[in-house]
């Protein structure tokens, strides 16, 4: 079975992520969307559990997708999940340097691991989780940026957090 991991912070999931999942899901038999604790990023807005819940709801329509969360080394997690493929999305040049380094580093750790890049859909090339967070906190309109089915949930999480 060809299985791939789609790791990310997903704080929160956006339509840009969903587009990458949908396209990866036709390339692999199973995709494992995994919320990773990224020590390089600030604490974040949503808890790991909240991110997983939002992702599960937003990916219900992808039959070969499962959602997990993990904290630790990605190469270890790949082994645990029995996969050699890591899917990442690429937006502008700004993503490239970071992704390039990450891909080479993971290859150095385990030469059997392949990072597969999927180019952003042009209509989501500007879209980031941090942009959605900023908009949502200040009551901006996030429709069209996040999956419709989680828009209300997202707003109520933010209201509950009293940010
Ligand atoms: P990370 O903290 O690992 O960068 P993110 O949740 O920010 O996690 O992103 C997860 C993956 O999705 C990354 O590969 C990122 O480049 C990609 N991604 C994020 N937004 C988009 C988008 N709008 N279009 C395509 N890929 C995206």
């Amino acid at each position: 079975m060809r299985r791939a991991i789609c790791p990310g912070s997903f704080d929160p999931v956006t339509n840009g992520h969903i587009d990458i999942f949908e396209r990866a899901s036709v390339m692999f038999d199973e995709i494992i969307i995994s919320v990773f604790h990224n020590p390089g990023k600030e604490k974040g807005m949503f808890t790991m559990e909240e991110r997983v819940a939002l992702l599960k709801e937003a990916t219900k329509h992808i039959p070969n997708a499962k959602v997990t969360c993990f904290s630790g080394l990605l190469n270890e997690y790949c082994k645990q999940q029995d996969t050699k493929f890591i899917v990442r999305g690429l937006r502008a040049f700004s993503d490239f340097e970071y992704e390039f380094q990450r891909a080479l580093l993971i290859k150095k750790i385990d030469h059997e691991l392949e990072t597969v890049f999927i180019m952003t859909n042009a209509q989501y090339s500007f879209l980031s989780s941090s942009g959605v967070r900023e908009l949502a906190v200040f009551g901006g309109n996030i429709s069209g940026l996040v999956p419709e089915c989680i828009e209300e949930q997202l707003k109520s999480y933010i209201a509950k957090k009293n940010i």
Side-chain angles (χ1 to χ4, degrees), residues 1 3-7 10 21 25 29-35 52 55-56 59-60 62-69 77 80-82:
M1 187 191 254
R3 193 178 281 128
I5 300 223
C6 306
F10 308 119
F21 302 152
S25 73
D29 300 315
E30 183 178 51
I31 58 164
I32 302 168
I33 300 159
S34 201
V35 179
V52 166
L55 273 164
K56 280 190 174 161
T59 57
K60 266 188 182 157
I62 309 175
N64 58 341
K66 85 173 183 191
V67 181
T68 65
C69 74
Y77 193 58
Q80 195 183 313
Q81 295 292 326
D82 192 25

Side-chain angles (χ1 to χ4, degrees), residues 59-105:
T59 57
K60 266 188 182 157
H61 64 292
I62 309 175
N64 58 341
K66 85 173 183 191
V67 181
T68 65
C69 74
F70 183 74
S71 177
L73 291 173
L74 182 55
N75 58 303
E76 297 285 339
Y77 193 58
C78 287
K79 213 173 269 168
Q80 195 183 313
Q81 295 292 326
D82 192 25
T83 175
K84 297 190 185 328
F85 303 103
I86 299 161
V87 170
R88 299 281 293 172
L90 263 191
R91 283 163 298 183
F93 292 114
S94 49
D95 276 343
F96 180 77
E97 201 175 334
Y98 173 70
E99 294 295 344
F100 183 68
Q101 282 183 10
R102 259 179 87 129
L104 292 191
L105 186 61

Side-chain angles (χ1 to χ4, degrees), residues 5 9 15 22 28-29 34-35 42 48 51 54 58-60 66 68 83 90 93 114 129 134 153 155:
I5 300 223
S9 307
N15 281 338
E22 288 170 351
F28 295 94
D29 300 315
S34 201
V35 179
E42 77 288 1
M48 302 280 269
R51 296 178 209 182
L54 291 168
T59 57
K60 266 188 182 157
K66 85 173 183 191
T68 65
T83 175
L90 263 191
F93 292 114
E114 290 298 346
S129 297
E134 261 170 54
Q153 218 173 325
K155 285 183 192 158

Side-chain angles (χ1 to χ4, degrees), residues 6-21 23 34 36-38 40-41 51 87-92 95-96 98-99 102 115-130 133 145:
C6 306
S9 307
F10 308 119
D11 188 28
V13 60
T14 69
N15 281 338
H17 296 130
I18 299 291
D19 180 66
I20 298 293
F21 302 152
R23 290 158 65 196
S34 201
F36 259 75
H37 169 66
N38 183 343
K41 285 200 172 174
R51 296 178 209 182
V87 170
R88 299 281 293 172
L90 263 191
R91 283 163 298 183
D95 276 343
F96 180 77
Y98 173 70
E99 294 295 344
R102 259 179 87 129
T115 305
V116 178
F117 293 103
I118 299 182
M119 204 60 70
T120 186
N121 183 322
Q123 64 171 313
Y124 301 129
S125 59
F126 64 92
L127 189 50
S128 65
S129 297
S130 58
R133 288 199 301 271
L145 306 183

